[in-house]
Amino acid sequence: VAIKSFPDSRPCNVLVHDDHKVFVAYEPVFPRSLSLESCEGDVKAANLEFTHDTAVHVKGIQQLQSSGDFIQTPPIPLYHAHVLWSFALRIERVKDQKSAISLVSIGPHLGLDNSEKKGSLGRNQPRALNMPRVLGATMSVIKEKGEEEEEGESIMLSPGAGGALAAQQQYTAEELVALAGGEVLRVRLRLIVSRSYFALSKIIDLKARTTTVTDRAEGILDLIVRGERPPGYDWAITVAESEVPGPGLFFVHKAALGSISDIFKVTFQTSHSYEDQVLMVTGESRCIVPALTTEDMKVVVPLVYGLYAPLPERWQRVSALGRTLCRLFKADLMTGVVFPQWERALCAQALAVDKSLLSSFVDIFRVLTIVWSCPYGSMPVAKRVAVRYNNNNNNNNNNNK
């Protein structure tokens, strides 16, 4: 199968060049009429061939003076079926006044900024994905011949150091200028990767089991959520009212709360309020949690009892509830249970959308809203799944107009 990648043959400009670091202009380009899954050929083929046109300014090549100086293009995406890995074409000055041409691995993202964002859970990318094994890679120079393009001889790119794919031959600046035949060196890249690499199961396990819920445990949960008294309860929590009708007082067990929340544990031990988050009621075995609402407890109660973390019923509560849970409960509970389970649920929702219906836009944007309401880096796979379906829906509807 041949896949035409994001077409981008604009020259790449070096904006800042200091201490062998390079910063390049980057603007994602994607035609509205082209689906993310657009391909040509046998849709069941074992391998996928990605084609990408890109370019660099000759002036930038001529500015490479010292060994280690380099110029590189914006990220070149290899994307299919929710899975993304990107490379960049790099021309680097080496010894003997020559330059090496290579494709360097960028990662499962399209960004060049590696700095950590404040309040994030790391880069917004799947944690389990490794660089694909490239079965074949070539580069050919494109020149204009009248109103047509002429593609020159293919240059093989073979595996080299650090996972890069490098051309065996090295070039002087004059040779590269001659290859360009003008102010811009335009090239066409072709990379072949096994289809099996592009599988959603590589980046998320949608079949991962949550804790098995017994009928007895489910019954106790139902009692608590309805505001009734379960067997052995020894504490009560008052929450704020919400737009969803329900009880404002919930009867729970201190041991369950204290096991997953240091804040509640300290509050129980000291009998003192914790800032404005947990307010103790004098003379009662009860506290007030102003940031939680009646509808939030349908998420909190199963979580407290170690069973599962359901998505909030209304997407409007995701952001506020997420912040509250992060303050009240242990960090590993959020990163190891809540966000992974929410992400699996969001992926399942996005995959179940009927793309033929115009109303599917609403469903996909709801998923995206929840993703963007959670901490940066907590929903990388759900974001990719939703964006893919949103793009395909948009293009399908545009084509049907």
Side-chain angles (χ1 to χ4, degrees), residues 304-320:
V304 165
Y305 286 86
L307 300 177
Y308 50 87
L311 276 170
E313 290 183 354
R314 296 190 309 131
W315 62 266
Q316 293 92 334
R317 285 299 303 166
V318 171
S319 181

Side-chain angles (χ1 to χ4, degrees), residues 2-23:
I3 295 180
K4 294 180 180 179
S5 188
F6 298 67
D8 186 1
S9 55
R10 297 166 303 158
C12 166
N13 289 305
V14 176
L15 303 181
V16 180
H17 193 171
D18 184 37
D19 296 331
H20 297 164
K21 293 181 180 179
V22 64
F23 298 85

Side-chain angles (χ1 to χ4, degrees), residues 13-221:
N13 289 305
V14 176
L15 303 181
V16 180
H17 193 171
D18 184 37
D19 296 331
H20 297 164
K21 293 181 180 179
V22 64
F23 298 85
V24 298
Y26 167 59
E27 295 180 28
V29 174
F30 195 81
R32 293 184 61 187
S33 61
L34 185 64
S35 166
L36 286 174
E37 299 303 312
S38 176
C39 60
E40 301 171 355
D42 183 2
V43 295
K44 296 183 179 180
N47 299 325
L48 303 176
E49 181 186 78
F50 294 84
T51 304
H52 187 98
D53 292 353
T54 190
V56 294
H57 273 297
V58 166
K59 186 180 295 184
I61 297 173
Q62 293 171 331
Q63 291 174 348
L64 305 178
Q65 300 297 323
S66 303
S67 178
D69 289 354
F70 66 88
I71 182 173
Q72 70 182 34
T73 66
I76 298 166
L78 273 60
Y79 176 89
H80 186 70
H82 314 291
V83 179
L84 165 73
W85 195 276
S86 66
F87 292 84
L89 181 67
R90 175 178 295 182
I91 299 177
E92 182 174 0
R93 183 67 179 267
V94 291
K95 60 183 180 179
D96 298 330
Q97 297 186 343
K98 290 189 175 183
S99 295
I101 299 177
S102 62
L103 273 175
V104 295
S105 174
I106 299 297
H109 53 82
L110 292 174
L112 295 174
D113 182 7
N114 291 316
S115 60
E116 187 171 327
K117 290 179 169 55
K118 184 178 180 181
S120 72
L121 298 182
R123 291 206 64 134
N124 196 25
Q125 63 188 43
R127 309 290 188 269
L129 192 62
N130 296 316
M131 186 181 81
R133 177 171 173 260
V134 178
L135 304 177
T138 61
M139 181 193 83
S140 54
V141 177
I142 302 173
K143 293 183 180 180
E144 294 183 2
K145 193 172 183 180
E147 296 182 357
E148 298 182 354
E149 292 181 347
E150 183 179 75
E151 187 174 343
E153 182 180 351
S154 294
I155 301 171
M156 296 294 297
L157 302 175
S158 304
L165 301 165
Q168 185 174 4
Q169 181 180 346
Q170 296 178 347
Y171 301 84
T172 63
E174 292 75 16
E175 289 172 334
L176 290 173
V177 170
L179 272 178
E183 295 182 356
V184 176
L185 175 62
R186 296 180 58 216
V187 298
R188 178 163 296 156
L189 298 161
R190 290 185 173 87
L191 295 91
I192 299 175
V193 178
S194 171
R195 179 189 290 274
S196 62
Y197 176 80
F198 301 93
L200 186 58
S201 59
K202 290 281 187 71
I203 53 179
I204 190 170
D205 183 4
L206 294 178
K207 297 180 180 180
R209 295 182 61 186
T210 56
T211 304
T212 302
V213 182
T214 64
D215 292 341
R216 182 174 182 277
E218 194 71 58
I220 292 175
L221 286 186

